Amino acid sequence: MKAEHVKDDLSSILFTKEQIAEKVSELAQRIDHDYQGRDVLLVGVLKGAVPIMADLMRQLDGQYPMDWMAVSSYGSGTKSSGVVRILKDLDTDLHGKDVLIVEDVIDSGLTLSWLRTNLESRGTSSVEICALLRKPEAMKTSIDVRYVGWDIPNEFVVGYGLDFAEQYRNLDCIATLAPHVYE
């Protein structure tokens, strides 16, 4: 979906589809360099990470199997509750694997911190994080993120997998959602 189809719902466009494609390519190059010759499992966090996971995988040169988890700390709201629920667990045994969590956005960091600890407890060799977006002002816990596309202001963003009430995920850019939509 193009931004002009929902222009009254958006405050501003942060990143175009071309900028996103360039950033994902940069992240893939760094990941390929850092993980050359290693047994890496990409773990996507549903549902928001679907676009970045798909685009990232197409840019990677090596073999990178993937698996998916669904965790929730939002419900239908716009702010993290901090209470994490596993909605769909991994199908892959993580013992001895290097795991790279692929995420769309890091807000408070609470869910991702919990997820990293959970995956580390499964006998992994390492657990690192790749996030397209991070909101430093919203962070409630310190979490080391190895790969970050962009740091953005603490605003509600949609598009490229990011949603509000399951809407706007298919927007081809990343934009700030106008407050009148969610207030």
Side-chain angles (χ1 to χ4, degrees), residues 42-95:
L42 301 178
V43 174
V45 182
L46 293 170
K47 299 177 188 169
V50 169
I52 186 173
M53 178 77 102
D55 289 347
L56 184 67
M57 289 189 68
R58 283 191 290 269
Q59 293 292 322
L60 292 167
D61 285 332
Q63 295 290 334
Y64 293 87
M66 70 173 169
D67 203 343
W68 296 92
M69 276 190 94
V71 296
S72 176
S73 66
Y74 283 85
S76 61
T78 61
K79 300 227 185 281
S80 175
S81 68
V83 176
V84 180
R85 294 182 314 134
I86 295 177
L87 305 175
K88 186 236 177 269
D89 207 344
L90 298 172
D91 298 323
T92 307
D93 177 14
L94 300 184
H95 189 76

Side-chain angles (χ1 to χ4, degrees), residues 143-161:
I143 185 165
D144 181 39
V145 181
R146 187 164 186 175
Y147 308 100
V148 177
W150 291 287
D151 284 331
I152 62 170
N154 188 17
E155 299 180 41
F156 200 87
V157 292
V158 294
Y160 195 70

Side-chain angles (χ1 to χ4, degrees), residues 24-45:
V24 171
S25 179
E26 289 172 17
L27 291 168
Q29 288 174 19
R30 288 182 51 209
I31 291 165
D32 272 333
H33 176 267
D34 293 349
Y35 285 104
Q36 188 172 12
R38 293 170 65 185
D39 182 18
V40 181
L41 176 69
L42 301 178
V43 174
V45 182

Side-chain angles (χ1 to χ4, degrees), residues 110-162:
L110 295 172
T111 301
L112 209 45
S113 177
W114 179 92
L115 182 57
R116 172 183 256 162
T117 301
N118 180 284
L119 297 182
E120 287 171 340
S121 74
R122 301 183 191 197
T124 58
S125 291
S126 69
V127 178
E128 297 291 346
I129 298 166
C130 174
L132 184 61
L133 305 172
R134 176 176 58 188
K135 298 179 182 180
E137 297 168 17
M139 301 288 286
K140 293 182 179 176
T141 187
S142 177
I143 185 165
D144 181 39
V145 181
R146 187 164 186 175
Y147 308 100
V148 177
W150 291 287
D151 284 331
I152 62 170
N154 188 17
E155 299 180 41
F156 200 87
V157 292
V158 294
Y160 195 70
L162 301 154

